[in-house]
Amino acid sequence: MGIFDKLKKMGNFISGGAAKVELNVPGGFLGTPLIVNVTVKIGENAVEVKSVYLNIQCVEKIKEEVENEDGKEIEENENVIFESKIIVAEGGTFEGGKEYSFLKEIILPESSQATSLDDSREVYWEFMAGLDMKGNDPDSGWIKANIDILTA
């Protein structure tokens, strides 16, 4: 392995470019099974992965009209009202140039809040898959999904 190959490998290790993580989250309902699909595409070099994980959060964004010296403006406050980290798959050596796919069934608590949007309050669900490994963990970025209440 030449010096440029070593530098490239080190750059991927630091930047999280050693693998690409994609996440497919269909919409679903609170309290019922939801199946997520995590796809991992490994770069040219094998990587050691501790685990494949899924972060989940439900966020409430409240918009309020506030008055200040310049007049009225809209202030936004965000609160995470539910969060969880789930192990999708145990780790190991993921071979370079290969693609791995993992399905995971999850159930979001029925007591949680459904996705909603109105003028002053928004509730949304976000999901992010990633690889727990040395260096910068590659991840899918946050992906929103519509989660509703199952009605009879």
Side-chain angles (χ1 to χ4, degrees):
M1 180 183 291
I3 185 110
F4 291 111
D5 290 332
K6 288 181 182 178
L7 288 172
K8 183 178 175 185
K9 187 175 179 180
M10 186 186 324
N12 283 338
F13 173 77
I14 293 169
S15 69
K20 183 177 180 185
V21 180
E22 297 173 355
L23 175 62
N24 182 9
V25 182
F29 297 96
L30 296 171
T32 65
L34 174 70
I35 298 181
V36 299
N37 182 12
V38 179
T39 303
V40 178
K41 297 176 182 175
I42 304 299
E44 58 189 62
N45 298 308
V47 294
E48 282 297 319
V49 176
K50 294 177 189 171
S51 66
V52 179
Y53 62 85
L54 177 68
N55 285 332
I56 304 168
Q57 64 181 19
C58 181
V59 179
E60 174 187 50
K61 185 189 297 186
I62 298 172
K63 299 175 189 174
E64 295 180 282
E65 192 173 284
V66 294
E67 229 175 283
N68 59 26
E69 59 271 355
D70 297 329
K72 294 181 181 180
E73 68 177 55
I74 301 295
E75 186 176 280
E76 293 183 356
N77 293 307
E78 288 188 354
N79 300 307
V80 175
I81 55 178
F82 173 86
E83 63 184 335
S84 181
K85 183 174 185 175
I86 297 170
I87 300 300
V88 173
E90 294 301 319
T93 302
F94 286 28
E95 294 181 39
K98 295 220 173 173
E99 182 174 302
Y100 298 84
S101 186
F102 306 95
L103 295 176
K104 182 68 173 180
E105 180 180 290
I106 59 172
I107 298 178
L108 300 173
E110 199 170 348
S111 61
S112 294
Q113 302 214 12
T115 302
S116 68
L117 174 62
D118 65 40
D119 290 340
S120 63
R121 182 176 179 263
E122 178 182 359
V123 175
Y124 58 91
W125 286 85
E126 294 182 307
F127 301 78
M128 179 178 59
L131 302 179
D132 184 6
M133 55 187 282
K134 285 186 178 179
N136 188 7
D137 290 357
D139 66 56
S140 64
W142 287 106
I143 296 172
K144 289 184 179 181
N146 188 44
I147 305 299
D148 212 344
I149 296 172
L150 187 61
T151 56

